[in-house]
DNA sequence: TGAGGCTTTTTGATCGATCAAATCCGTAAC
DNA sequence: GTTACGGATTTGATCGATCAAAAAGCCTCA
């Protein structure tokens, strides 16, 4: 290790020596100001400000047995337009965490099992107090794994298919988003609204499909206007063409990737500048092209998750351990250059 | 704080007691295995494995004065197609850091000054050992600020306009990327290759422009085929139209955002499936659309930066404190749906 | 004068590791 | 048979904070 870098920072002891008070008094000024005599407090605060003293997070963590760090797995950049939603989430989480005095500690993993293993290892090493799971899916083994390892955690995403009350989570109601998108298209006069989604079986995908289905349940023949394909622009374009051939005049998609693909095919459907096409996730591409999309309130989700973390670590039971947030439909006119 | 969560993890002391050896012996097995008698070592290793013991990162950090944490500022998700490059970088950094035993600690900031302040505070609190700067630009005050605060750091990006040897950095040679893109278009027969970039003045933008300029310096009249506009698809489309009007038959762009805008305008220039149009950053959108682009080796950059961090913290002088990496041109045929 | 009850401050112990130095032990040399 | 040596292991001190409890200071009142 490099000794040159060991800039001798002030410590409770060094500050106490200079000030002629005990270390505990300074500690109290920081953690329990109300029990210190006002004059003493002011004198100490001035000295703290002058010296630039900051309590060592390490010393504190050792004594209190709290690292105030939150583990978050970073997935490899996905090969598609989506994933941008995760950027926003990670940033929001960093902001909320910082605000409440926590730090986000990143890690990478090769698989779900590996993820649990890494989290467990970080936790056993007291590097982190708690983990945040993202991208929950049907048959997700991570919650059970973490419970077995006794690592506290919260999830961004419902425990699809499993018991929803076994742990804390926040999720966005995707079906509300697609339902709102579908009804908006119907309000525009469309009676043949198709759904361009993923193959049945994924929790998120089925949920988004369900919202569309609710909104078209009174329209006969709608079940033919439902296609499930792999995510991506090319599959989206092909499936969109098929849906139009079956008579659809408007489309709701499970992702902006699919919508991007559908864009070209749907150009003919344009009324005014707006396309009867709605994507999902409100990614930068959708904004750039002027594509309508469903916007997830990830900032809010992050804030709620950090609130739960705070409750858990302080020994409180989160008042609302499971929260479903409502997304917002963003309607846009196609960008001039894309028309 | 919640006492229920204090699962009493094994410690050096508890393990030592059960095994009948001293704590230091176990410590040695972990940190200096070669000085421990093989039989003892095996016995200790078995006990470590059985108990699931992991050295407390906190205890270790307190003693060694090294947190093994690296600060990284997370920018708000930018409103554009770009920024995706940062995703890849952050992920790569997490991977490389983890591999070398470091952790990435995220934080958010409102401004450059705030960023320096937060980093300094984290450093004074011993939460981090070192910081990684990204998005360096002309007139960047952060390096000087961190040097003044005596916080070690490395940068992803050159110190544009400033002394390049004052600190460690890794950057990608943007001009080599645009030059290669331009030469590739010329090899395809084009003699009127335009450059669609940003207004002069930004280090990154001027560098990318310079690469194009080098590659067309022998073609008279090329200087008219250079436009600088704000980043974005709409400005890109408008500027592309103007360049074509001036006689350009091929375009090299400073970003995939600009290229996305140019895409529509350039459709007529297509020869076979490939467009004489090259973007920059190789973002997911470019891949989705089948747009040629310049790919930055961010994984390598991250690896090199972590290597430098490792050198700095261990008191070594990095053998190559400033590194310029070469990007790679990725040529693609337009996706069928986008044609 | 000094005992009692506050408020305010200080002292001792502890969290879990590593460094540095001391001790232990078996073997070889004189 | 004692000394010296080198490998293996153990002991004491320390990193920087907080908790818990003791001590000190101050005012009141008998």
């Amino acid at each position: 290790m490099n000794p040159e870098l060991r800039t001798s920072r002030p410590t409770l002891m060094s500050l106490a020596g200079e000030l002629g008070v005990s270390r505990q008094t300074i500690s109290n000024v920081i953690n329990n100001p109300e029990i210190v005599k006002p004059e003493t407090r002011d004198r100490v605060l001035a000295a703290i400000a002058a010296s630039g003293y900051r309590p060592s997070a390490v010393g504190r963590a050792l004594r209190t047995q709290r690292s105030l760090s939150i583990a978050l797995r970073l997935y490899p950049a996905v090969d598609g337009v989506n994933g941008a939603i995760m950027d926003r989430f990670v940033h929001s989480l960093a902001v909320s965490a910082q605000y409440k005095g926590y730090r986000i500690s990143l890690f990478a993993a090769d698989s779900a099992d590996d993820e649990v293993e890494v989290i467990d290892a970080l936790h056993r090493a007291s590097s982190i107090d708690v983990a945040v799971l993202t991208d929950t899916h049907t048959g997700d083994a991570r919650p059970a794994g973490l419970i077995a390892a006794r690592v506290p955690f919260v999830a961004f995403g419902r425990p699809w298919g499993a018991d929803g009350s076994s742990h804390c989570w926040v999720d966005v109601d995707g079906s509300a988003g697609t339902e709102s998108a579908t009804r908006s298209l119907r309000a525009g006069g469309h009676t043949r609204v198709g759904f361009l989604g993923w193959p049945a079986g994924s929790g998120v995908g089925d949920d988004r499909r369900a919202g569309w289905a609710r909104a078209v349940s009174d329209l006969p023949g709608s079940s033919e206007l439902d296609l499930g394909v792999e995510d991506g622009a090319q599959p989206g374009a092909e499936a969109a063409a098929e849906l139009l051939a079956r008579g659809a005049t408007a489309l709701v998609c499970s992702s902006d990737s699919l919508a991007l693909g559908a864009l070209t095919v749907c150009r003919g459907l344009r009324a005014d500048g707006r396309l009867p096409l709605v994507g999902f996730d409100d990614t930068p591409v959708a904004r750039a092209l002027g594509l309508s999309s469903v916007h997830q309130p990830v900032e809010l989700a992050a804030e709620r998750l950090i609130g739960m973390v705070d409750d858990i670590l302080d020994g409180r039971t989160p008042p609302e351990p499971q929260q479903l947030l409502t997304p917002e439909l963003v309607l846009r006119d196609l960008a001039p250059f894309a028309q």
Side-chain angles (χ1 to χ4, degrees), chain A:
Chain A
M1 291 293 157
N2 185 352
E4 305 237 342
L5 296 179
R6 300 197 182 178
T7 318
S8 57
R9 307 178 235 282
T11 68
L12 276 189
M13 282 298 266
S14 74
L15 249 192
E18 294 174 19
L19 262 170
V21 299
S22 73
R23 48 180 210 281
Q24 186 63 35
T25 297
I26 304 182
S27 174
N28 285 336
V29 167
I30 294 169
N31 301 302
N32 300 87
E34 69 281 0
I35 72 166
V36 181
K37 196 163 110 189
E39 330 168 13
T40 314
R41 190 197 312 159
D42 293 343
R43 208 158 57 89
V44 170
L45 283 176
I48 289 178
S51 67
Y53 169 76
R54 281 216 123 206
S56 158
V58 176
R60 178 178 282 175
L62 180 60
R63 187 61 179 93
T64 62
Q65 304 284 61
R66 282 273 170 289
S67 67
L68 300 182
S69 285
I70 302 171
L72 178 70
R73 172 180 177 186
L74 215 55
Y75 288 78
V78 292
D79 214 23
V81 176
N82 310 299
I85 188 83
M86 269 305 139
D87 293 6
R88 284 178 51 220
F89 177 70
V90 175
H91 180 261
S92 305
L93 204 64
V95 171
S96 292
Q98 193 166 337
Y99 180 73
K100 290 246 185 186
Y102 293 94
R103 284 178 296 282
I104 299 292
S105 197
L106 293 184
F107 70 96
D110 298 329
S111 64
D113 286 347
D114 190 30
E115 178 175 357
V116 172
E117 193 136 348
V118 174
I119 291 175
D120 184 28
L122 287 171
H123 184 249
R124 287 203 313 271
S126 296
S127 283
I128 57 148
D129 295 329
V130 58
V132 171
L133 296 184
T134 62
D135 280 307
T136 59
H137 52 265
T138 344
D140 200 333
R142 296 173 300 168
L146 291 179
I147 291 171
R150 313 201 55 193
V151 182
F153 70 99
V154 298
F156 178 36
R158 276 162 273 191
W160 297 101
D163 175 20
S165 60
S166 68
H167 63 264
C168 294
W169 54 262
V170 173
D171 202 358
V172 174
D173 187 350
S175 77
T178 46
E179 181 173 358
S180 157
T182 310
R183 294 202 188 281
S184 160
L185 291 169
R186 287 192 59 179
H190 292 277
T191 54
R192 302 280 290 170
V193 182
F195 181 74
L196 174 45
W198 304 315
S202 78
V204 178
D206 293 351
D207 183 49
R208 295 184 183 175
R209 174 173 285 112
W212 162 80
R214 277 204 302 272
V216 296
S217 58
D218 60 322
L219 295 174
S222 283
S223 60
E224 293 165 18
L225 301 181
D226 172 12
L227 274 184
V229 300
E230 198 189 349
D231 195 55
Q234 186 63 42
E238 292 161 8
E242 170 67 22
L243 284 170
L244 296 197
R246 293 187 190 174
T249 64
L251 292 181
V252 170
C253 308
S254 261
S255 76
D256 279 351
S257 280
L258 292 169
L260 170 64
L263 174 64
T264 321
V265 183
C266 291
R267 266 214 184 84
L269 303 177
R270 172 156 49 101
D272 305 326
R274 185 165 297 172
L275 232 49
L277 172 66
V278 183
F280 209 107
D281 275 354
D282 193 24
T283 56
V285 199
R287 277 195 290 277
L289 294 171
L291 211 65
S292 298
S293 194
V294 176
H295 182 93
Q296 300 199 39
V298 292
E299 294 79 6
L300 185 59
E303 193 183 319
R304 298 290 174 84
L305 284 169
I306 295 295
M308 290 177 178
V309 163
D310 205 34
D311 285 337
I312 292 172
L313 294 182
D314 279 359
R316 296 186 296 269
T317 302
E320 293 181 67
Q322 286 87 32
Q323 300 185 25
L324 207 51
L325 308 178
T326 306
E328 187 190 358
L329 178 63
V330 180
L331 295 175
R332 289 196 183 88
D333 289 335
L334 205 55
F337 82 89
Q339 289 182 358

